[in-house]
Amino acid sequence: MFVTPLGDAHNIGASVAALQRASTFVRRALAARIRVYRIPRIQFQLDPEMLTAEAIAQRRTEGEATDQGTDVLTVQPCDGR
């Protein structure tokens, strides 16, 4: 399963490791609720596309904050002289 942990970016590895440790529990819970012959082994991985999207959103937010602190130059129209 591809996952995207929420919260602090520094704890992403710990979040995925915790999910991986809980994979047996998740598999048993699925087996109790789904009627199939065999439940596949579950492996958790970071979703690289979501991480990229999150990084882009963060840069955009930082850029907007930077732009608000700068003065905007106004261009005066030329009167043709």
Side-chain angles (χ1 to χ4, degrees), residues 38-69:
R38 184 176 173 172
I39 299 291
R41 185 174 64 97
I42 299 172
Q43 184 177 4
F44 294 96
Q45 295 178 359
L46 287 175
D47 186 357
E49 290 182 15
M50 289 302 292
L51 292 176
T52 303
E54 185 177 326
I56 291 170
Q58 180 66 27
R59 288 184 193 139
R60 181 176 169 208
T61 303
E62 290 171 357
E64 289 174 356
T66 303
D67 288 345
Q68 290 176 359

Side-chain angles (χ1 to χ4, degrees), residues 3 5 8-21 44 46 51:
V3 296
D8 191 8
H10 300 289
N11 296 327
I12 289 175
S15 298
V16 173
L19 285 170
Q20 198 60 37
R21 286 191 304 271
F44 294 96
L46 287 175
L51 292 176

